Amino acid sequence: MSTQSLPTPDAGRTSRLRDALHAAAFTADGLLDLLGAPAYAALARSETVPALRATRGDSPLETLVRLFLLQAAVPYAQARAALPVEDCMADGWLVQQGEEVRASVDVRPYSGPEGQDWWIVSDLGCAVGGAGGIVAGVTEVTGVTGVDRSQLVLGVGGASTTLAGITIRTPVARALDLGTGSGIQALHAAQHATQVTATDVNPRALGFARLTLALSGAPQADLREGSLFEPVGEDEAFDLIVSNPPFVISPGPRLTYRDGGMGGDDLCRTLVQKAAGHLTDGGYLQLLANWQHIEGEDWRERLASWVPAGCDAWIVQREVQDVTQYAELWLRDAGDHRGDPAEYAARYDAWLDEFEARKTRAVGFGWITLRKSGADRPSVVAEEWPHPVEQPLGTSVQAHFERQDFLRGTDDAALLAARFRLADEVLQEQVGLPGAEDPEHVVLRQNRGMRRATQVDTVGAGFAGVCDGTLAAGRILDAIAQLLGEDPVQLRDRTPASIRLLVEQGFLEPVPEPTAAG
């Protein structure tokens, strides 16, 4: 059976298949229990030997792991003990080869944000692991032929889980998953959006997204074929747009799931610039992106120039690679390192020629969140943050924009009249010589969200420590001035900038004023 032909599930038979997966504990938790942490982690590195060793028995769960994750053939009778085999063969999930059956697609258990048991369906060889030779592995491991390698559809990876984790999950009417792939983001969006539209330039991806939604028991999305916003009407607007686009900066289009076909980082720039026309007021665009670090240009200023008028933006650079590291990463992704050395060298050279022509010295990776605020003075924050963060981060992303609204609409007088509370799980660290009367440095550190740290002076530390939402900021400063013997007027004049920084970074949260009863 060619993998060009995807399963065409019947609703009733799909329900029975889902029940069988549940009954066998073919879930994210079930896999961890069966395989153990080392073998489970090895799968993410495309290493299957530990998992094969852990599934030598004939239990239903071991059978399903070998079938759907490891692409091993199993005896027909063994498969029948774990699955409604006739249903699976009728719909195309399984194909018979003599006395054995094989899976026609990868099915990977995936845990939803509230512990839901979901399954992500993708091409054979593409549900396990990340970039390390996926394309080469499709034929080498499974022997399946008939696949247009450029049209492969990947399953769960680090990028897709990162995007799912940073996405704001408030209920919305309409959500758009642009470049849906195997449907992971559409599956998440279906939990909090009344209507989900999913697009992809690859028609096979739309087929896999349909399978992922059906097998996971989610409502079907409105699936549309096309690039970027082409499948969306000019007057269509969404409350949320999410995208894990083909953002790789490459010498030319080769693999649809990663190469967008535009030069440099033009695809990500175009997506950002056109998004405002398809967002409702207050709507969000959230995407992962790669961007060029061009000689003589500040990457922050360059990306800030992408942001459409009337939109706030938060751009976070998580990683930077020099051009040689970047080229090697994606050459390995295509399996080129396993082929002819001369061809590998020629392709490597082509990547470096492309970067040299564009004066690209490095490539940044991170996320961009855009909000259609309509503000005359938009907030555009571009920062580098390679440190660990707390996932899921969606509530922290939303809080960032809410804080920007507060700061933009609050002058210094109103700021001193406002009340604040210290955010949860903020700790104070003091650094200094043993026995010294005063510390050399005082640092506030978050244990939640972005997990930031910021240095403060004695006034800042004292102010933050007192903020419990009961006293106005100005009254707290007056008390600190009296304690330190300072002029309260001067302290009020010089402190608002420090308060704004603590609010912007999430150390202090504004406390809403109580509304009048009745």
Side-chain angles (χ1 to χ4, degrees), residues 429-442:
E429 299 177 357
Q430 298 185 173
V431 181
L433 294 174
E437 184 176 346
D438 296 312
E440 295 178 17
H441 303 291
V442 178

Side-chain angles (χ1 to χ4, degrees), residues 121-133:
V121 187
S122 64
D123 265 315
L124 287 169
C126 294
V128 174

